[in-house]
Amino acid sequence: MNFVESRLLGVQIDDTGREISLSIIRSDGTKFFLELHGIERFLVNELRQQNIIENMKHWTQGTEDSSLRDAAYFLMTGVAENDCEPRLATIAHAVVERVLRGELEMVEITAVFGAQILASFTSMTLRAET
C-alpha cells in the first residue's frame, strides 16, 4: 500500500506502550489504521496536525540497505552511525541484525515539513476503516 501524499492524522498508543495505531487518510478519503504490534522502540519527531506523508519505508527480513542502518542507529541512539559511541553502536547493530533475520521489523514515515516516525516492532497489520 502506498501512502505517499496521504495525511497522517494521529498516533494512538495503548496502555502498555506495546501496541500503536497510526491513522492515515488517503487523498481519495479512505481511512486506514496501520497497527504496529510488539513495539520495542518508538520515536516521533516534530509531528504536526494533518501531516502529509512524503515517504514510507518498511524493513523486514532480508531488506538490507543503508537506510535501514541509518534508521536503526537514529532510533536506538539518537545520532548517526558515525557519531555513535561504540557501546551504543553495538545495540543499534543488533537491531539491524534482528531485522535481517526476521525477528523484528522497522518502519519510517517522513512527512513534508520534517515530521518523522520511526519504530521497531514484531509485526504490523493494515486495516481499512469500515
Side-chain angles (χ1 to χ4, degrees), residues 79-120:
V79 296
E81 183 174 1
N82 293 340
D83 299 327
C84 188
E85 65 179 72
R87 182 176 49 96
L88 291 177
T90 302
I91 295 167
H93 181 71
V95 168
V96 172
E97 292 299 314
R98 289 180 64 205
V99 170
L100 296 177
R101 287 192 306 264
E103 298 169 6
L104 201 60
E105 297 179 28
M106 283 187 61
V107 70
E108 179 180 33
I109 298 172
T110 52
V112 171
F113 295 108
Q116 177 187 41
I117 290 179
L118 267 172
S120 60

Side-chain angles (χ1 to χ4, degrees), residues 11 13 17 20 22 36 39-44 75 117-120:
V11 177
I13 303 170
I20 293 177
L22 307 173
L36 310 177
I39 293 289
E40 288 199 3
R41 183 79 76 155
F42 182 67
L43 172 89
V44 177
L75 178 63
I117 290 179
L118 267 172
S120 60

Side-chain angles (χ1 to χ4, degrees), residues 4 16 23-24 44 48 50 56 59 62 77 82 95 104 117:
V4 173
T16 67
S23 69
I24 298 170
V44 177
R48 294 177 175 88
Q50 307 277 334
M56 181 175 168
W59 296 281
T77 70
N82 293 340
V95 168
L104 201 60
I117 290 179

Side-chain angles (χ1 to χ4, degrees), residues 26-96:
R26 291 185 33 177
S27 57
D28 67 3
T30 308
K31 189 172 184 180
F32 290 91
F33 297 95
L34 186 63
E35 297 170 341
L36 310 177
H37 312 286
I39 293 289
E40 288 199 3
R41 183 79 76 155
F42 182 67
L43 172 89
V44 177
N45 189 19
E46 296 191 31
L47 190 65
R48 294 177 175 88
Q49 290 178 314
Q50 307 277 334
N51 292 277
I52 297 173
I53 297 172
E54 182 175 52
N55 195 13
M56 181 175 168
K57 296 176 186 170
H58 178 212
W59 296 281
T60 58
Q61 183 175 7
T63 57
E64 183 172 18
D65 61 19
S66 62
S67 63
L68 169 59
R69 290 183 65 83
D70 293 344
Y73 273 81
F74 192 75
L75 178 63
M76 299 307 293
T77 70
V79 296
E81 183 174 1
N82 293 340
D83 299 327
C84 188
E85 65 179 72
R87 182 176 49 96
L88 291 177
T90 302
I91 295 167
H93 181 71
V95 168
V96 172

